[in-house]
Amino acid sequence: MGRFFDAMSGTPLGISLIRHIRGKDWSITTYRYVVLLITFIAYTCYHASRKPSSIVKSVLDPDPHQVNGVHPWPSGEFFVRRELVGSDTNKSRHDGWPPFNGKDGTSKLGEIDVAFLACYSLGMYVAGHLGDSWDLRLFLTTGMIGSGIFVGLFGMGYFWNIHGFWFYLVMQMVAGLFQATGWPSVVAVIGNWFGKRKRGLIMGIWNAHTSVGNISGSLLAASVLEYGWGWSFILPGAFIFLGGIMVYLFLPAYPEDVGFPCPRDFAASATTVASDEEAQVRKGDLVEAETNTIPRFASGNRKSIGLVEAFLIPGVIPFALCLLFSKLVAYTFLYWLPFYLSQTAIGGEYISVKSAGNLSTLFDVGGIVGGILAGYISDKLNARATTAASFMYAAIPAMILYRSYGNISKTVNIVLMMIAGLLVNGPYALITTAVSADLGTHSSLRGDARALATVTAIIDGTGSVGAALGPLLTGFLSSKGWDAVFVMLMVCALIAGLLLSRLVITELTERKSKPKSLTNGQHTLE
């Protein structure tokens, strides 16, 4: 398989065609915009293909008290305008779909979710190493096409009239393995193209693909739900399948594949050229000089490192454990916030399930702002650990305020929810993007070593364990009251911050020592 990927790697066919039509090549700046756009669309496809199961749950296992055809947003009456009265589709929506419409239907749907997350988490470790061993473009293409096939096959169970639980369980498990290819690959590609200087801000903005994917996946699945729940899987499956073809044709995973040096190779080799990478790129005639004078590694010749070596990179273990607790908090809000809102009196009255779903999306809006803000601050301070830990500590009082005063009015609830989302999702976004890319290009690695995808997989794979544990623990604790749930979330946020204490001390010590070293250097020159 590795030899096959090596044979197929190189300049993407679509880019070769564009070069032939234009008669000249793009600048490195244009290529960076292309990489940002394609990887953004690629991971949007990944998240969109994960949403159908949450949309069709109410169809597979309907609430007997809500059989009037009205479903939570976005599959409610605003998007699904009419019911097919008397049709088989309408009947299946009211009666559910065996084996999920029995007494244990909800638990079976939960088992499928846990199986997906377990395979996703375990597959992440393997996928990261494979991504560093094989060509990233072809590896990402394989993952997207495979995900599309198995998401679509889950939906085909509707048309094939399959009612065996094993079929749906296996489809989700295999889909989880293919889905694990996405995150390590796209982060590694971004890390290949962008130096460390503005990586936090760029990746903070780029990380909005998560929310865009969730929204677009919900809309795609809901738009065809009235024609049968199977279509709600087939359409997002086709979406990511086509996205995989786009990646194969147009994504240059490595600068070397299109004739440019990797940013970190350039930094090591071009000592006679100005050090500001962005400034060099603006000089049109310098690009050609770079490609002719700087020694480059072919993308297929880079060596991958093993999991043990990746674990030993300074900072990987603390950040991975921090993400476990950070992602636990974030995913608990993701899965349980709509339910919490529907069960809590706001301004003296309870809101509907549909309104709770709409209201909970504002937590993600705050999260987008938090990811951008955390990236920008960490770039300015050059302190990833300090930024992430500060956000996690600040999230504790934010959650206390939200739990204590969020019921005063909808306005207060929205403001406090967005603040909590900003502080909870900020470090989560920072660690899974910029931090992973930084550690994957750590100075302790050999210059020709591939570690980006492996490190990203270790960090996000460990975090995914927390993503599975958070909602599971909340299910038990919520029966004792929501105060117990919020105490758990605050304790986890505190642990997440404390796990970075050693790195924070190191960053602060280095920051204090820099002015002294600069002063000593000036005296020496005099």
Side-chain angles (χ1 to χ4, degrees), residues 436-498:
S436 297
D438 289 349
L439 295 176
T441 56
H442 196 268
S443 57
S444 64
L445 296 169
R446 299 178 300 274
D448 63 338
R450 282 181 180 172
L452 273 167
T454 303
V455 169
T456 302
I458 289 173
I459 292 176
D460 200 46
T462 305
S464 296
V465 175
L469 285 176
L472 183 65
L473 291 173
T474 302
F476 291 109
L477 293 176
S478 60
S479 61
K480 299 180 180 180
W482 287 105
D483 286 339
V485 174
F486 274 85
V487 168
M488 175 196 75
L489 296 177
M490 289 183 282
V491 169
C492 289
L494 177 63
I495 295 173
L498 291 175

Side-chain angles (χ1 to χ4, degrees), residues 249-507:
L249 292 176
F250 297 105
L251 178 65
Y254 310 92
E256 302 96 314
D257 288 344
V258 287
F260 292 100
C262 183
R264 55 184 180 277
D265 296 337
F266 176 81
S269 305
T271 54
T272 59
V273 186
S275 60
D276 187 346
E277 180 183 321
E278 279 72 14
Q280 298 163 26
V281 171
R282 295 190 197 102
K283 301 176 183 178
D285 57 346
L286 185 59
V287 174
E288 185 178 353
E290 288 175 6
T291 60
N292 292 330
T293 60
I294 297 173
R296 299 187 296 276
F297 298 105
S299 64
N301 294 333
R302 291 182 179 274
K303 301 175 183 177
S304 63
I305 67 170
L307 281 174
V308 176
E309 292 178 85
F311 268 109
L312 294 177
I313 295 173
V316 168
I317 293 177
F319 274 115
L321 293 176
C322 173
L323 185 64
L324 188 152
F325 290 96
S326 174
K327 208 167 182 179
L328 186 153
V329 177
Y331 269 64
T332 298
F333 275 102
L334 176 67
Y335 281 100
W336 284 91
L337 185 56
F339 184 74
Y340 170 76
L341 290 169
S342 65
Q343 298 292 313
T344 305
I346 302 175
E349 59 183 25
Y350 290 87
I351 62 176
S352 66
V353 174
K354 178 181 178 180
S355 297
N358 291 339
L359 191 61
S360 67
T361 58
L362 296 175
F363 183 87
D364 284 325
V365 174
I368 294 174
V369 177
I372 297 172
L373 187 62
Y376 177 77
I377 293 173
S378 69
D379 279 343
K380 285 293 183 182
L381 300 179
N382 193 26
R384 309 286 196 214
T386 304
T387 304
S390 299
F391 269 66
M392 292 310 303
Y393 292 140
I396 297 173
M399 287 188 282
I400 293 175
L401 290 172
Y402 182 66
R403 173 59 181 159
S404 302
Y405 301 104
N407 59 351
I408 292 178
S409 68
K410 289 182 180 178
T411 302
V412 174
N413 189 286
I414 289 171
V415 172
L416 294 177
M417 184 197 306
M418 292 183 70
I419 293 173
L422 184 152
L423 295 170
V424 168
N425 282 355
Y428 159 46
L430 178 66
I431 293 171
T432 54
T433 54
V435 168
S436 297
D438 289 349
L439 295 176
T441 56
H442 196 268
S443 57
S444 64
L445 296 169
R446 299 178 300 274
D448 63 338
R450 282 181 180 172
L452 273 167
T454 303
V455 169
T456 302
I458 289 173
I459 292 176
D460 200 46
T462 305
S464 296
V465 175
L469 285 176
L472 183 65
L473 291 173
T474 302
F476 291 109
L477 293 176
S478 60
S479 61
K480 299 180 180 180
W482 287 105
D483 286 339
V485 174
F486 274 85
V487 168
M488 175 196 75
L489 296 177
M490 289 183 282
V491 169
C492 289
L494 177 63
I495 295 173
L498 291 175
L499 285 167
L500 297 179
S501 297
R502 186 174 179 179
L503 296 176
V504 170
I505 293 172
T506 302
E507 287 179 350

Side-chain angles (χ1 to χ4, degrees), residues 24-100:
K24 59 180 180 178
D25 200 3
W26 284 330
S27 68
I28 192 171
T29 303
T30 303
Y31 274 115
R32 283 174 171 165
Y33 284 126
V34 170
V35 167
L36 279 175
L37 178 62
I38 293 178
T39 52
F40 185 96
I41 295 173
Y43 210 68
T44 295
C45 293
Y46 272 98
H47 262 267
S49 65
R50 297 174 193 172
K51 287 301 291 182
S53 60
S54 65
I55 297 297
V56 305
K57 276 179 181 176
S58 59
V59 178
L60 299 175
D61 182 26
D63 186 339
H65 301 293
Q66 295 180 354
V67 294
N68 59 354
V70 178
H71 300 276
W73 185 91
S75 58
E77 66 277 6
F78 182 80
F79 293 97
V80 181
R81 297 181 179 179
R82 61 186 177 89
E83 290 289 337
L84 302 180
V85 180
S87 69
D88 292 336
T89 302
N90 194 48
K91 185 178 185 299
S92 69
R93 293 180 70 173
H94 287 180
D95 297 340
W97 187 267
F100 303 110

